[in-house]
Amino acid sequence: SLEEKSESQNPETFLFKVDNDEKWKILYNILDTIPFTQAIIFANGIDRAMHLADLLRSQLFNPICIHSRLPQT
């Protein structure tokens, strides 16, 4: 039904407030525990976003890092 289809298209949203030194550990735990097909993770800087993508890649995730320094064609 339309109602079932609409509900299944609404993404779940999670917000966690954690200490800076615990962020990577908690993020990895969340991604390793909660089943997902896609996720968006925001970072507050380009270098931090690229570092996070590298960390995720090292744990066999397949991140795409999108930021303002990418060439726009």
Side-chain angles (χ1 to χ4, degrees):
S1 75
L2 181 58
E3 186 174 308
E4 288 174 10
K5 187 175 184 179
S6 177
E7 286 179 18
S8 69
Q9 291 178 349
N10 292 334
E12 275 189 88
T13 302
F14 298 92
L15 175 63
F16 297 90
K17 286 195 146 233
V18 296
D19 292 330
N20 235 8
D21 56 337
E22 294 288 314
K23 283 184 179 182
W24 166 243
K25 180 180 173 183
I26 292 172
L27 174 62
Y28 176 74
N29 190 20
I30 292 167
L31 294 176
D32 197 44
T33 304
I34 299 173
F36 67 95
T37 55
Q38 296 179 346
I40 298 174
I41 302 167
F42 292 94
N44 65 353
I46 295 170
D47 293 334
R48 189 174 182 110
M50 292 190 312
H51 180 66
L52 180 57
D54 290 340
L55 287 172
L56 290 168
R57 226 173 265 110
S58 75
Q59 297 300 313
L60 304 178
F61 290 101
N62 189 20
I64 298 172
C65 186
I66 300 172
H67 54 77
S68 63
R69 286 190 212 149
L70 292 173
Q72 300 193 17
T73 55

